[in-house]
Amino acid sequence: MPRPTPLVIGHRGSPGYRPEHTRSSYDLALAMGVDAVEPDLVMTKDGVIVVRHENEISGTTDVAFHPEFADRKTTKNIDGHDLTGWFTEDFTWDELSTLKSRERLPNIRQNSATFDGQQGILRLSDLLELVERASLEQGRRIGVVLEIKHATYFESIGMAHADLLPAELRAAGWDQGKLPIWIESFEQTVLTQLRDSGIKANYIYLLEHKGTAFDLVTQMGDRAIGYAAQFSPRGLDRLANEVDGISVDKRVILAPDRLGRSAGPSSVVSDAHARGLQVFTWTVRPENQFLIRQFRSSSDKAAFGHYEAEWAIVRDSGVDGVFVDHADLGVAFFRR
């Protein structure tokens, strides 16, 4: 029996073609037929949820070119790492709305970089309106995969996602299944808090191929278990009672050896399915920069490699959803 087609999720819209998290990036992904789009959620000083990859925005906006904000540049410790730049939580929404978006990877995505300076920042409420409108116009149910960024950090400064996100979703009428919602985070604590709030969604735990979740480090210090232990069979036994699914780095599925070769999909998807868990994976991209060594076509990082061969391993694992940067390529391949 053929496996079901995985959900194709527009990762930050369609950032292979437009600067990520911009209106045109999302419009393009929706027009290209994705099943859902994935915004990353951070917050402003006045409690507005905005759509940005990180709360540090020097790499994705023109904030450095605004002299009126020069004194906002600072250094903060975010999830155990010192970062210097400008942070969303130091701006009101009115201030952030004066900024323009920029391509985060201009050396890899030069065409996308030609759109620098043309579009502003979106709020979560803006994004939900775009998805709802596209669903009506296209006559299909399009969902959102909401990624909670730096939950422990934001809670430590009095801006808890678990307080602000339910209020936003209720205000938009999205709290009881109007359209599909998945809520994901690299920190399970916030997923539990949001589930307890009564928001109707699928709760997905994001897992790196290595490292440890920051909420666990904060709570347990050196005793915190790593991500790898959590997607082991024993770890999945626990998660099956606590979340609806997991979302793993594609390396967990590809399991490349030290020479960058994959012998085929690992057992993580079948292990999770056996325990009733959904499995997503991130992020499939066609450029050599992002492919494991086996599937690179040249040393040109921006050139497309043999991406379909890598994506076939991901597809054949039986995964339930894939995050893609090039929405048209993802839809064409995974619905083939």
Side-chain angles (χ1 to χ4, degrees):
M1 180 181 294
R3 293 189 177 99
T5 302
L7 294 170
V8 179
I9 304 163
H11 181 241
R12 309 172 196 165
S14 194
Y17 303 112
R18 300 290 188 275
E20 64 187 29
H21 289 316
T22 57
R23 183 178 296 270
S24 66
S25 181
Y26 286 110
D27 281 342
L28 196 58
L30 294 165
M32 288 175 169
V34 296
D35 300 296
V37 291
E38 183 253 13
D40 299 313
L41 306 183
V42 295
M43 285 175 282
T44 67
K45 184 195 305 187
D46 50 344
V48 176
I49 300 179
V50 294
V51 178
R52 286 284 96 186
H53 176 225
E54 298 290 345
N55 56 329
E56 200 289 292
I57 54 173
S58 61
T60 60
T61 73
D62 62 355
V63 65
F65 301 96
H66 283 252
E68 69 273 25
F69 299 138
D71 62 348
R72 308 283 177 95
K73 188 175 184 181
T74 187
T75 298
K76 299 187 180 190
N77 189 276
I78 308 296
D79 296 357
H81 302 284
D82 287 337
L83 295 177
T84 299
W86 288 263
F87 297 82
T88 58
E89 64 271 20
D90 295 331
F91 294 79
T92 64
W93 164 246
D94 284 347
E95 290 172 330
L96 277 186
S97 67
T98 66
L99 304 181
K100 298 298 183 183
S101 297
R102 297 174 62 85
E103 170 57 45
R104 186 172 59 90
L105 303 169
N107 294 329
I108 301 296
R109 293 174 173 167
Q110 297 177 14
N111 183 66
S112 177
T114 65
F115 294 90
D116 283 0
Q118 295 184 19
Q119 300 169 80
I121 293 175
L122 294 176
R123 297 166 294 185
L124 173 59
S125 58
D126 300 322
L127 187 278
L128 295 177
E129 287 181 10
L130 288 180
V131 174
E132 191 168 352
R133 185 181 309 121
S135 294
L136 290 171
E137 291 174 351
Q138 297 180 31
R140 62 191 183 96
R141 287 172 60 80
I142 306 172
V144 292
V145 183
L146 307 176
E147 183 176 345
I148 306 300
K149 301 302 292 258
H150 311 302
T152 296
Y153 166 75
F154 275 108
E155 186 172 14
S156 75
I157 60 172
M159 304 178 71
H161 285 84
D163 295 330
L164 295 176
L165 180 57
E168 286 253 8
L169 292 174
R170 290 189 179 105
W174 276 65
D175 57 316
Q176 293 299 320
K178 172 188 285 190
L179 289 170
I181 299 178
W182 294 263
I183 299 178
E184 63 178 9
S185 177
F186 286 104
E187 301 178 54
Q188 191 184 347
T189 302
V190 71
L191 296 179
T192 302
Q193 293 169 342
L194 286 166
R195 171 171 270 171
D196 290 345
S197 76
I199 296 299
K200 187 176 181 180
N202 286 282
Y203 290 87
I204 308 294
Y205 190 18
L206 283 159
L207 299 166
E208 298 266 16
H209 72 288
K210 60 182 180 180
T212 308
F214 187 66
D215 59 335
L216 296 183
V217 172
T218 301
Q219 297 163 18
M220 305 173 66
D222 293 341
R223 295 182 295 110
I225 60 174
Y227 285 121
Q230 299 194 67
F231 59 74
S232 69
R234 184 175 178 180
L236 293 172
D237 285 340
R238 177 187 67 81
L239 290 176
N241 297 314
E242 299 176 0
V243 294
D244 298 303
I246 60 172
S247 184
V248 297
D249 184 332
K250 69 176 184 178
R251 290 171 182 249
V252 175
I253 293 174
L254 296 170
D257 62 20
R258 61 185 180 83
L259 297 178
R261 298 174 302 194
S262 174
S266 70
S267 66
V268 67
V269 177
S270 58
D271 289 344
H273 282 170
R275 292 159 174 82
L277 291 164
Q278 301 173 56
V279 186
F280 293 169
T281 192
W282 45 274
T283 300
V284 298
R285 299 170 167 122
E287 298 104 335
N288 285 316
Q289 163 94 358
F290 306 111
L291 298 172
I292 64 172
R293 196 173 309 154
Q294 176 183 358
F295 301 116
R296 296 172 190 164
S297 61
S298 69
S299 59
D300 182 350
K301 294 181 179 181
F304 284 12
H306 307 297
Y307 68 90
E308 290 195 340
E310 182 181 281
W311 293 10
I313 297 174
V314 172
R315 178 200 61 208
D316 293 346
S317 72
V319 72
D320 301 294
V322 291
F323 292 88
V324 301
D325 276 7
H326 296 71
D328 56 340
L329 301 183
V331 168
F333 181 85
F334 288 102
R335 293 202 189 134
R336 184 175 303 165

